[in-house]
Amino acid sequence: MRTSARNHFVGQISAVKAGAVNDEVTLRTQDGLDVVAVITHGSAASLGLAAGSAAFALVKASSVVVMVDVDSSKISARNCVAGTVASVTKGAVNAEVAIAAPGGTQIVAIVTNDSADRLGLAAGKAATAIFKASSVIVGIE
């Protein structure tokens, strides 16, 4: 599958917590990263999502927030992935920041050049990629 989303996670569903309207779906990637999504109960049912089933998750780079020196217990977003900046590619206004998580998964974010400078983002620096569960799209092949 080809999409415009920079972040494409492949794995298996490890948990589905059913709700009346929305379900919380946890996807464990091949590298051991857990990605949490909140999708409608109808979507989870129509996709046949259940623990052990193969699936993928998509997150647009513009939905990823980058922070440094973060205490993830004080963030409401379900997906807080601490790692190391792998690269920073600056454009005229924005920068593409790739963060390597333990296990090798990379998460790409788009931030302004001003933010990249203010945060001191550079290859090798510790940083955390943060995205809300509602920003995650879940799919199956």
Side-chain angles (χ1 to χ4, degrees):
M1 167 182 288
R2 293 174 55 188
T3 72
S4 65
R6 292 302 312 273
N7 300 295
H8 187 159
F9 307 101
V10 176
Q12 287 189 327
I13 302 299
S14 62
V16 177
K17 292 181 186 173
V21 176
N22 290 323
D23 290 358
E24 180 184 273
V25 177
T26 303
L27 175 99
R28 176 154 294 156
T29 70
Q30 299 159 341
D31 294 332
L33 177 69
D34 285 335
V35 176
V36 179
V38 172
I39 63 174
T40 64
H41 180 70
S43 291
S46 70
L47 291 171
L49 299 180
S53 61
F56 62 86
L58 302 173
V59 180
K60 290 180 56 110
S62 58
S63 296
V64 178
V65 173
V66 177
M67 294 181 71
V68 295
D69 302 323
V70 64
D71 178 354
S72 63
S73 69
K74 296 182 180 181
I75 303 287
S76 66
R78 294 299 310 274
N79 299 288
C80 295
V81 183
T84 303
V85 175
S87 65
V88 177
T89 305
K90 288 190 174 181
V93 176
N94 292 325
E96 177 184 87
V97 180
I99 297 174
T105 300
Q106 284 204 356
I107 301 171
V108 177
I110 298 295
V111 301
T112 64
N113 287 338
D114 288 343
S115 291
D117 292 341
R118 185 172 34 82
L119 295 173
L121 298 177
K125 179 166 180 158
T128 301
I130 300 168
F131 51 97
K132 294 181 65 149
S134 58
S135 296
V136 179
I137 297 170
V138 177
I140 59 172
E141 294 290 341

